[in-house]
Amino acid sequence: MTTDAAKGSYVEPGKGYDRDMNYIPDRITRDGRDGWPVEAGRYRLIVARACPWANRSIIVRRLLGLEDAISIGYCGPTHDERSWTFDLDPGGVDPVLGIERLQQAFFKRYPDYPRGITVPAIVDVPTGQVVTNDFPWITHDFSTEWTEFHREGAPDLWPDDVRDEMEEVMQRIFTEVNNGVYRCGFAGSQTAYEAAYDRLFAALDWLEERLATRRFLMGDTITEADVRLFTTLARFDAVYHGHFKCNRQKLAEMPVLWAYARDLFQTPGFGETIDFDQIKTHYYVVHSDINPTGIVPKGPEPELWLAPHGREELGGRPFGDGTAPLPER
């Protein structure tokens, strides 16, 4: 996770939250210009279901049908100051990479790696070295560089005709919503918290209005913008409303966004990637400076996400000219 996951400290008294956006900038491309060419079976995507940034890559990999081209390894929902760990696997060891901690892949390439050990990350299987943890580019490149390995019927998540506007929409969603909830939760002063709170809900009000007349953020079909917003909305009532003090309203009290989020949750490729128990365990256990007791709340009930949403009345075709992904193997 990109909140200094392996550094152990989140809240700086008296300060606002400032996300460290310096990631390993390498990209996996068709021309291999960074030294990492697209090659089926060579790379392993390391994620945690708890993390919203990693959740994006899980969804995009599913939607595009890259399961056979890029293997996936799941870390558990909690970590210590050193690293995410593979405690869900037998013996606590990733069965492909043979490591207990994601940190080992980072240190194999950078012995003195100074930043947080974050997910998602892509590891080069032959060398065991991390390739990149630059989460916005990971999903972008899944769509644009790995096209040779997309499934038949894969949706176009970066449509040319709306790309410029989509970049603007995604930037606002990132700064004000995806990162906005963290600015609330990790604020080190009342002033910083209230400023972050106001910015967050101003953006959510804008999204309520935008989505009132269109089924998805960019129109009739799902794009990367919807993936990026969904992973925050999926965690809103379970975590951000209480744990991060984003409590003007619950998502379930914002009628348009709540229906939109349920629409996506019930769309193949989205809801099956969500594990509410892992999500709650991560935030309420790892963030000990916010929740020192480590108590994990029981609610809300996940069945609420399966209620009818009525968004079909707006028309649209979620996958455009494509088709839904097959059920997970």
Side-chain angles (χ1 to χ4, degrees):
M1 194 169 161
T2 54
T3 49
D4 297 332
K7 296 180 182 178
S9 178
Y10 297 84
V11 177
E12 291 191 67
K15 296 183 179 181
Y17 174 65
D18 185 20
R19 180 177 297 279
D20 181 357
M21 288 296 291
N22 292 299
Y23 299 99
I24 301 169
D26 290 12
R27 294 171 57 191
I28 300 170
T29 56
R30 285 190 295 270
D31 62 9
R33 56 186 176 271
D34 289 341
W36 309 104
V38 167
E39 184 179 329
R42 175 173 174 176
Y43 305 101
R44 187 159 176 81
L45 174 66
I46 303 301
V47 297
R49 290 189 185 273
C51 172
W53 319 100
N55 197 172
R56 295 179 180 186
S57 62
I58 301 172
I59 293 170
V60 171
R61 176 178 173 270
R62 283 274 294 124
L63 294 178
L64 299 178
L66 290 171
E67 292 96 331
D68 290 336
I70 307 169
S71 69
I72 194 166
Y74 290 95
C75 298
T78 61
H79 57 72
D80 57 21
E81 294 183 5
R82 292 171 57 196
S83 175
W84 292 89
T85 57
F86 295 98
D87 47 293
L88 301 178
D89 290 307
V93 175
D94 180 87
V96 173
L97 300 175
I99 57 177
E100 298 176 346
R101 294 176 171 273
L102 180 56
Q103 182 187 58
Q104 292 168 260
F106 279 71
F107 285 177
K108 193 157 189 180
R109 184 175 179 195
Y110 302 107
D112 299 315
Y113 188 74
R115 300 186 180 278
I117 308 299
T118 64
V119 291
I122 295 182
V123 177
D124 180 45
V125 175
T127 64
Q129 297 181 2
V130 67
V131 175
T132 183
N133 61 341
D134 198 339
F135 66 92
W137 281 110
I138 287 174
T139 52
H140 175 277
D141 290 343
F142 281 177
S143 287
T144 59
E145 300 292 335
W146 287 81
T147 52
E148 177 185 353
F149 300 102
H150 287 184
R151 66 179 175 86
E152 184 177 355
D156 182 1
L157 299 179
W158 288 81
D160 287 336
D161 59 335
V162 296
R163 186 165 299 193
D164 289 344
E165 182 189 5
M166 191 172 91
E167 293 278 10
E168 294 176 2
V169 168
M170 290 192 301
Q171 181 62 24
R172 186 171 182 182
I173 287 171
F174 171 71
T175 59
E176 307 305 298
V177 181
N178 300 147
N179 199 40
V181 294
Y182 286 88
R183 280 200 306 269
C184 292
F186 297 140
S189 72
Q190 188 70 32
T191 299
Y193 162 70
E194 292 185 8
Y197 177 101
D198 290 343
R199 285 178 62 179
L200 168 65
F201 281 98
L204 292 176
D205 288 341
W206 163 68
L207 289 166
E208 275 276 296
E209 182 177 352
R210 182 179 181 90
L211 288 164
T213 56
R214 63 182 80 196
R215 187 165 177 187
F216 304 107
L217 281 167
M218 303 313 302
D220 290 340
T221 63
I222 291 167
T223 66
E224 170 98 7
D226 299 291
V227 175
R228 295 185 179 195
L229 178 58
F230 172 76
T231 60
T232 295
L233 297 183
R235 289 156 175 77
F236 200 89
D237 286 1
V239 176
Y240 304 142
H241 178 270
H243 185 57
F244 278 179
K245 308 178 184 69
C246 302
N247 63 351
R248 190 191 78 177
Q249 292 162 282
K250 295 178 180 177
L251 176 65
E253 295 167 346
M254 293 179 267
V256 173
L257 275 172
W258 177 221
Y260 162 81
R262 295 201 313 279
D263 188 4
L264 289 176
F265 186 89
Q266 295 169 33
T267 298
F270 285 83
E272 69 264 30
T273 71
I274 300 297
D275 187 314
F276 288 112
D277 287 338
Q278 288 197 35
I279 288 168
K280 289 187 295 183
T281 297
H282 170 74
Y283 285 91
Y284 286 97
V285 172
V286 172
H287 300 163
S288 57
D289 42 0
I290 299 176
N291 186 43
T293 65
I295 294 172
V296 179
K298 290 184 67 175
E301 294 300 320
E303 289 79 9
L304 297 171
W305 284 86
L306 301 178
H309 52 75
R311 297 283 291 178
E312 302 94 337
E313 296 178 4
L314 293 172
R317 298 173 299 150
F319 299 103
D321 294 331
T323 58
L326 295 173
E328 280 192 296
R329 292 197 296 268

